[in-house]
Amino acid sequence: AKAKVHLMAGAGGRGKTTLLLAVAAKITRGEPLPGGDASTPQSVLYISGEDGPADVLKPRFVPAGCYPKLLHELPSLTTPSGDYLSIIDHGKAIEQIVHETQAALTIIDPVTAFCGSHLDNNNATHIRAVMARLQEIAESTGTALMALNHLTKSTEASLVNRVLGSGSWTHASRIVWGVIEDQTLGHLMGLMKSNIGPIDPVDR
């Protein structure tokens, strides 16, 4: 959804990055996503705190059938003054990059890598401030902003309540996606929450 903040959560190694690169490839080719219509090719901005663009992202992105010129990465994760990129402190700079690249989709992977060294991931006030800044960026630029997070290992709570850290991650997101591994069906992606559309009921 354009101009909205999405959250995607899953355990490590469940293919979240590979999945989003496949989505990004479709966007750069103008191909429809499931349930959608074809459009003109559009650009994608991928801000990664874990994987290098040259040795990890591009080798996954190219086989997915992307249009390479429309995938943009940051040249550096530090500012000219030497500070590590922070959503709160450098939100205007991120917003400017989204404007310059005209990104239809902006991916921040993982979002916790860009929340500043003083962030308390379990503090609702801290997380709401981060999410509010991301929503400002999404609304100002019109980009669909996808923030990646992780799930806890607990199996007691529902999936939407297993997102690592404060519940504000999910409360402040308009759409929350989950990625899980099923012993029978393999890797699955589905909606855990949506404030702008229905969620199909499931039997399991």
Side-chain angles (χ1 to χ4, degrees):
K2 292 182 177 180
K4 302 295 182 183
V5 174
H6 304 238
L7 184 75
M8 177 180 284
R14 295 302 182 266
K16 298 185 297 297
T17 298
T18 300
L19 171 65
L20 285 178
L21 287 172
V23 171
K26 283 183 173 290
I27 290 173
T28 65
R29 296 194 306 265
E31 294 184 358
L33 299 176
D37 299 318
S39 67
T40 57
Q42 299 177 84
S43 65
V44 174
L45 174 63
Y46 206 113
I47 303 174
S48 175
E50 292 182 343
D51 298 317
D55 60 350
V56 178
L57 294 181
K58 280 288 176 65
R60 293 186 191 181
F61 192 53
V62 172
C66 72
Y67 185 53
K69 290 184 178 180
L70 290 178
L71 176 68
H72 303 278
E73 305 101 9
L74 297 184
S76 174
L77 296 179
T78 57
T79 67
S81 61
D83 297 321
Y84 192 79
L85 190 68
S86 162
I87 293 166
I88 293 294
D89 297 332
H90 311 116
K92 283 295 182 183
I94 297 172
E95 186 176 319
Q96 182 62 32
I97 294 168
V98 177
H99 273 300
E100 290 174 355
T101 59
Q102 298 182 321
L105 172 66
T106 299
I107 300 167
I108 303 180
D109 179 9
V111 66
T112 50
F114 303 99
C115 292
S117 59
H118 300 295
L119 174 86
D120 181 351
N121 196 33
N122 295 300
N123 185 300
T125 301
H126 288 190
I127 302 308
R128 283 198 173 276
V130 171
M131 294 300 284
R133 189 67 191 95
L134 290 178
Q135 186 58 46
E136 289 176 355
I137 294 171
E139 291 177 355
S140 169
T141 62
T143 192
L145 201 155
M146 180 73 77
L148 267 68
N149 203 336
H150 296 283
L151 291 174
T152 66
K153 295 181 179 179
S154 170
T155 57
E156 301 297 323
S158 63
L159 277 175
V160 76
N161 290 320
R162 286 175 51 198
V163 175
L164 190 65
S166 167
S168 292
W169 285 119
T170 60
H171 299 159
S173 300
R174 299 301 86 197
I175 300 174
V176 181
W177 301 92
V179 178
I180 64 170
E181 185 175 16
D182 183 271
Q183 291 184 350
T184 303
L185 300 175
H187 293 86
L188 303 174
M189 173 187 175
L191 276 176
M192 298 196 293
K193 168 194 167 181
S194 175
N195 289 111
I196 61 174
I199 300 178
D200 292 335
V202 294
D203 299 325
R204 41 198 324 274

